[in-house]
Structure formats: C-alpha cells, structure tokens
Amino acid sequence: QVQLVESGGDLVPAGGSLRLSCVASGRIFSINAVGWYRQAPGKQRELVAHITSGGSTNYADSVKGRFTISRDNTKNTVYLQMNSLKPEDTALYYCNADIVRLDLRKYDYWGRGTQVTVSS
C-alpha cells in the first residue's frame, strides 16, 4: 500500500521558522499534485500550499511570501518551508497527495498530520 508521513512540526516562537516534510512510501508509480493543509481547533481544514507534478505552486493569501512548497521527486518528498511564523499559523498540518500506484490506479492519500505551535 501507500503511506504519507508528515514530520517537522514543533513549538516555535513567533518569527521563527520550520520545515515540514511529507514522505510518500509504498507501491508508488508516480506522485501528481501535492497539497499542504492545516486545521486549527474549531476551524475548518484549509489549503495552505499546493504543488503540481511539474512544480507549479500556489499559496493561500495568508501565507504568501512566508511559506514555500517544494518537492524532491527522487525522494518522494514534499517540503513546506515556513518562515516568519505567526501565532495564527498554529494548527495541525496535513499532507495530501494524488498518487498513481504500481497497479496504475490513482488514489487520493492523506497523512496523519504534524503539529505546529507558534507562541506569541
């Protein structure tokens, strides 16, 4: 099967930086688009950043200029570099990927999340 595992979440002071990683493993043929989402307590899950298989990116307005999404296809890994963190960035961050398995079937996968907490 296929798994997505996020890592890199931590407690940081406002203004700090973190780099999140999302690693895909298993019977993978290819990885298409990947998105980073976040969900704060009492709020809906929201898209933070998105990257296509070709490397095109887009961002939520709230993180533009501060966050950067990138991918290393040789490692089946997508990163989210987060700079100038604010307390309102505090949330559980999830990775979502559109993956084609070795049986050539395409599925949508989610990781379990990594917690980011920004102190004021």
Side-chain angles (χ1 to χ4, degrees):
Q1 294 298 340
V2 172
Q3 269 194 317
L4 289 182
V5 178
E6 303 96 333
S7 63
D10 204 345
L11 170 64
V12 295
S17 297
L18 283 174
R19 188 177 82 155
L20 306 183
S21 299
C22 170
V23 180
S25 62
R27 299 173 63 80
I28 296 169
F29 177 77
S30 65
I31 302 174
N32 297 329
V34 179
W36 279 100
Y37 290 75
R38 67 186 180 188
Q39 187 167 19
K43 294 188 177 181
Q44 287 190 330
R45 189 174 297 188
E46 63 173 348
L47 177 64
V48 175
H50 180 268
I51 187 166
T52 67
S53 57
S56 297
T57 60
N58 63 71
Y59 299 90
D61 287 343
S62 58
V63 307
K64 278 181 183 175
R66 300 188 298 122
F67 291 10
T68 303
I69 188 170
S70 62
R71 62 191 294 163
D72 184 340
N73 292 330
T74 66
K75 297 180 179 179
N76 285 345
T77 301
V78 172
Y79 304 99
L80 185 67
Q81 177 67 44
M82 305 188 296
N83 298 327
S84 302
L85 283 161
K86 304 175 181 180
E88 52 264 43
D89 294 318
T90 295
L92 189 59
Y93 282 70
Y94 297 90
C95 177
N96 170 258
D98 183 36
I99 293 176
V100 178
R101 302 188 325 189
L102 289 180
D103 60 6
L104 301 184
R105 294 183 176 182
K106 190 169 69 170
Y107 289 92
D108 186 65
Y109 290 91
W110 286 90
R112 294 189 175 183
T114 185
Q115 178 67 40
V116 172
T117 303
V118 184
S119 62
S120 56

